[in-house]
Amino acid sequence: MKTFKWAAVTLLFFALVSIVPGHSSAQFQFSDISPDKEYYEQVHYIADLGIVNQVSKFNPGDNLTRAQAAKMLVIASKKQDMPTPAVDFKDLKPGTEQYDYASRAVELGYFKKKSDGSFKPNEKLKRDEMGYALSVAFNLTEKVTVDRPLMLTDMKNHSFAEQINGLYYGGVSQGDAGKFLPNDYLTRSQFALFVARALNDTYKLPVKLPEQTSRTYFAKVATGGDNLNVRTHPAVTGDVVGRLKDGDIVEVIGQTGEWLLILNDGKNGYIHSKYTIDIGTEKPSDTEGTTGEPEEPEVTDPEITDPEVTEPEEEWDTPSNTSGLIGKVTANSLNIRKTPSTSAAVVGKLTAGEKVEVLSLDGYWAKINTKSGTGYIHKNYLKLLNKTGNPLNGRIIVIDAGHGGKDPGTSKSKLNEKDIVLKVTKLVESKLKNAGAKVLLTRSNDTYLSLEQRTDYAKKHYAETFVSIHVNSASSTSAKGSEVYYDSSTNPNATESRLLANKIQANLIKQANMADRGVRDQRFYVIRNNNVAAVLIELGFITNADDFSKLSSDKYVELYAEAIYQGLVQYYSAQ
């Protein structure tokens, strides 16, 4: 009886393994592919899906033909049941299998007819044509930009450059020694690898993206007198878009290998790190000639034209009447204006810590009571506090879920940072709304936003607090715990940011029992380019076993959200 039970369990185990993506079938194996081949699992994976026929031999070293590729891509993209389009081919007859798949592939845009009207079904497929077809079939096209540079150097100026760029950043193909070899013919085993990677994240190649959310710093050009080229992408094949002189100082906002992504005169580009010296997070001129009084920015209604940035679901009228609202001055010296304009006459001044009665809010401006009547002060330099009721009621809080869309952030075991932080963000949003806050999310779904779009969004909607949520990673698996960042280099509300960071960090330690890595002053883009209390939270390390178990747990995701919420409550409760 025991023998029968164990046999049944064994059969059930192998049956389950055979249908799990990422495992080859236990019931079928090509006779000409041994398990030690790098493509063994991927070939059998696509065979299990019916993309290739389960026959005795796969012929992995044979060149792939256009007809074979068309059939495999149509099946892989689940378009085999679409009606057969009426496409006129010079060399294919309707009713044949090659015609059926070729016509679908052409109709779907995977392939194009030859100039003479033929399909050339038996013509060997080149890698560039394959890359184009794969990119279209799986929507992998990627524009060549500073943060997605063309890493495969032999695709420069190629008509399929964006499609091959998409394969690179999609983890499908990273070429050979930095080259894609577009004119080489493709083998069946290579194509199987590419299709499996496009279909299943298990097989994707790891992609190191240029990191723009890390610490930024200043670097001094040190060439010994020569000029230093600024290039479009991190390789000597990148186009030269500028030149720096020996001794020039630039801001480093990211790095790819030995190449630094810099910001110089408002433009991005890459320079080689060999010719630079890190001079720290403070630009020498930044500390000269500063005054205690913050600048009052021109009051405008900035607009974001990128269609990916959505308007908030909830709108509110401005100016808004307030009741029982006071404002605590956060600047050393703050002008009181006669009217809500930076060009209006100054009728008085306030100093840090003073409290004023707020009569109404209109965009960036707060109308207040003064000894000599009413006046206007810039809202960015006020901490708005409710005398009664919930301290969060009416506060405009922007929650920024890091990464998103084509930028997954850090990941482990198919769990992506972008998904973790979005879950936490939505829970924080719900808690804040229940408290009466006016909550705005930079993204509420799996959408990619640049760092600039995130800060612009906050400014457009007159945010009073900005909270960016992230997950950490490290090369050492022993690194663990939460940490919260603020910026004192350019953010005029550095003190308030630090206070908010301390409240949130204390709650992360208490609520989620996280190791305490402290509150840190760093130049993260989204907090240094904000002008209100702004923090960046690293919930924990996905690379640490203990932290990973929490980050992947719905229970702890709720605890993270509660900790952030309580931190905001306590920050706005402090009078």
Side-chain angles (χ1 to χ4, degrees):
M1 190 68 177
K2 289 182 178 179
T3 303
F4 172 77
K5 285 183 177 179
W6 279 112
V9 170
T10 303
L11 287 172
L12 177 60
F13 171 77
F14 283 110
L16 289 172
V17 168
S18 69
I19 61 174
V20 175
H23 291 273
S24 59
S25 171
Q27 300 176 355
F28 172 78
Q29 180 175 329
F30 289 107
S31 63
D32 57 349
I33 302 179
S34 58
D36 62 327
K37 298 296 184 183
E38 67 164 331
Y39 47 81
Y40 173 83
E41 191 171 343
Q42 290 87 339
V43 168
H44 288 90
Y45 169 69
I46 66 171
D48 288 344
L49 296 178
I51 296 170
V52 294
N53 294 329
Q54 293 186 356
V55 293
S56 61
K57 291 186 177 183
F58 182 72
N59 300 315
D62 286 358
N63 292 129
L64 193 74
T65 67
R66 284 167 57 85
Q68 291 169 343
K71 179 179 178 180
M72 292 168 70
L73 279 181
V74 168
I75 296 173
S77 58
K78 298 181 180 180
K79 301 294 184 181
Q80 66 269 33
D81 294 328
M82 70 179 284
T84 303
V87 180
D88 184 24
F89 293 116
K90 182 180 178 180
D91 53 353
L92 288 177
K93 293 182 179 181
T96 63
E97 182 183 78
Q98 284 190 342
Y99 175 87
D100 290 345
Y101 285 106
S103 62
R104 291 187 180 102
V106 169
E107 182 73 12
L108 292 165
Y110 304 167
F111 288 92
K112 297 178 181 179
K113 290 199 299 183
K114 298 291 185 177
S115 58
D116 63 357
S118 64
F119 184 76
K120 294 289 192 296
N122 299 317
E123 182 178 271
K124 292 185 290 186
L125 190 68
K126 289 185 177 181
R127 288 171 59 90
D128 60 351
E129 192 175 16
M130 173 280 302
Y132 179 89
L134 266 173
S135 176
V136 174
F138 296 104
N139 193 29
L140 293 171
T141 299
E142 189 76 63
K143 289 184 178 180
V144 179
T145 62
V146 170
D147 60 345
R148 292 295 187 278
L150 185 62
M151 302 299 290
L152 300 170
T153 57
D154 57 350
M155 292 304 298
K156 182 180 176 182
N157 300 324
H158 194 289
S159 58
F160 296 161
E162 292 186 357
Q163 286 75 26
I164 306 308
N165 206 41
L167 298 191
Y168 181 91
Y169 288 104
V172 173
S173 174
Q174 293 179 356
D176 183 8
K179 294 185 177 181
F180 186 69
L181 308 175
N183 294 317
D184 282 10
Y185 292 118
L186 192 72
T187 65
R188 288 169 56 83
S189 61
Q190 289 171 338
F191 194 60
L193 281 171
F194 298 153
V195 171
R197 290 167 184 164
L199 285 171
N200 192 327
D201 289 347
T202 302
Y203 302 123
K204 289 187 186 300
L205 299 171
V207 180
K208 179 63 177 176
L209 300 175
E211 180 59 60
Q212 292 190 57
T213 56
S214 60
R215 178 185 73 100
T216 65
Y217 62 93
F218 290 96
K220 183 177 180 180
V221 176
T223 60
D226 296 328
N227 290 337
L228 179 62
N229 290 330
V230 181
R231 298 186 180 274
T232 54
H233 69 271
V236 292
T237 53
D239 292 336
V240 176
V241 292
R243 287 183 172 84
L244 299 173
K245 296 178 181 178
D246 187 27
D248 280 352
I249 294 173
V250 293
E251 185 173 9
V252 178
I253 62 174
Q255 184 165 357
T256 300
E258 295 183 328
W259 292 84
L260 304 179
L261 177 60
I262 66 164
L263 183 64
N264 185 48
D265 292 332
K267 296 180 180 179
N268 292 339
Y270 288 90
I271 59 175
H272 202 285
S273 60
K274 177 181 178 181
Y275 305 104
T276 65
I277 299 172
D278 184 342
I279 59 174
T281 59
E282 290 291 336
K283 191 174 182 180
S285 60
D286 282 352
T287 58
E288 298 174 4
T290 57
T291 64
E293 182 175 348
E295 288 185 11
E296 293 177 339
E298 185 68 29
V299 180
T300 60
D301 186 12
E303 292 184 359
I304 299 174
T305 57
D306 194 307
E308 290 183 319
V309 181
T310 56
E311 292 295 322
E313 294 181 1
E314 296 183 358
E315 298 288 344
W316 53 87
D317 296 329
T318 56
S320 60
N321 293 320
T322 58
S323 178
L325 185 66
I326 60 174
K328 183 179 180 180
V329 178
T330 62
N332 289 335
S333 177
L334 184 61
N335 290 328
I336 304 173
R337 303 276 182 178
K338 186 175 183 179
T339 60
S341 170
T342 55
S343 60
V346 175
V347 295
K349 289 184 181 292
L350 298 169
T351 57
E354 283 193 75
K355 295 179 180 178
V356 292
E357 181 185 3
V358 177
L359 302 176
S360 65
L361 297 172
D362 187 357
Y364 281 124
W365 293 95
K367 185 178 182 180
I368 64 169
N369 258 334
T370 70
K371 295 178 181 179
S372 56
T374 59
Y376 295 85
I377 55 178
H378 204 282
K379 189 183 76 168
N380 282 355
Y381 308 108
L382 286 180
K383 180 179 181 181
L384 297 170
L385 303 166
N386 295 321
K387 288 182 179 179
T388 59
N390 194 300
L392 297 177
N393 186 47
R395 301 289 53 78
I396 305 173
I397 301 174
V398 171
I399 308 295
D400 172 46
H403 306 277
K406 61 187 179 183
D407 178 10
T410 189
S411 62
K412 178 183 178 182
S413 301
K414 298 183 181 181
L415 185 63
N416 292 321
E417 177 181 1
K418 67 176 183 179
D419 300 319
I420 299 170
V421 299
L422 185 58
K423 282 185 179 180
V424 175
T425 293
K426 288 188 173 181
L427 289 172
V428 175
E429 176 192 30
S430 177
K431 294 173 184 290
L432 291 173
K433 281 186 174 181
N434 288 339
K438 298 172 181 176
V439 191
L440 295 170
L441 306 185
T442 56
R443 68 177 182 96
S444 58
N445 50 34
D446 190 17
T447 301
Y448 173 78
L449 296 172
S450 70
L451 303 180
E452 184 178 17
Q453 285 174 315
R454 296 168 191 267
T455 53
D456 282 353
Y457 183 78
K459 293 171 184 175
K460 175 182 179 180
H461 295 291
Y462 314 112
E464 296 163 8
T465 313
F466 181 94
V467 177
S468 187
I469 306 175
H470 290 260
V471 169
N472 225 333
S473 65
S475 56
S476 171
T477 57
S478 63
K480 63 183 298 186
S482 62
E483 53 197 20
V484 184
Y485 292 92
Y486 70 98
D487 169 74
S488 66
S489 65
T490 61
N491 189 318
N493 273 294
T495 299
E496 293 300 314
S497 298
R498 178 171 53 80
L499 292 173
L500 176 59
N502 279 322
K503 297 295 185 184
I504 293 176
Q505 176 69 354
N507 278 278
L508 286 170
I509 297 164
K510 177 182 177 182
Q511 302 282 345
N513 193 29
M514 299 301 294
D516 184 6
R517 292 178 60 87
V519 168
R520 305 186 182 192
D521 184 0
Q522 288 280 15
R523 294 170 54 85
F524 286 94
Y525 185 99
V526 293
I527 53 177
R528 69 183 173 86
N529 285 287
N530 251 299
N531 47 23
V532 296
V535 298
L536 186 146
I537 303 166
E538 295 282 7
L539 297 173
F541 284 80
I542 202 169
T543 45
N544 175 266
D546 291 339
D547 283 6
F548 177 77
S549 66
K550 294 179 179 180
L551 293 167
S552 56
S553 161
D554 287 343
K555 172 186 173 181
Y556 275 90
V557 165
E558 164 66 30
L559 291 174
Y560 288 134
E562 180 66 17
I564 295 169
Y565 168 74
Q566 290 295 339
L568 284 162
V569 170
Q570 292 167 18
Y571 168 73
Y572 275 109
S573 297
Q575 299 288 315

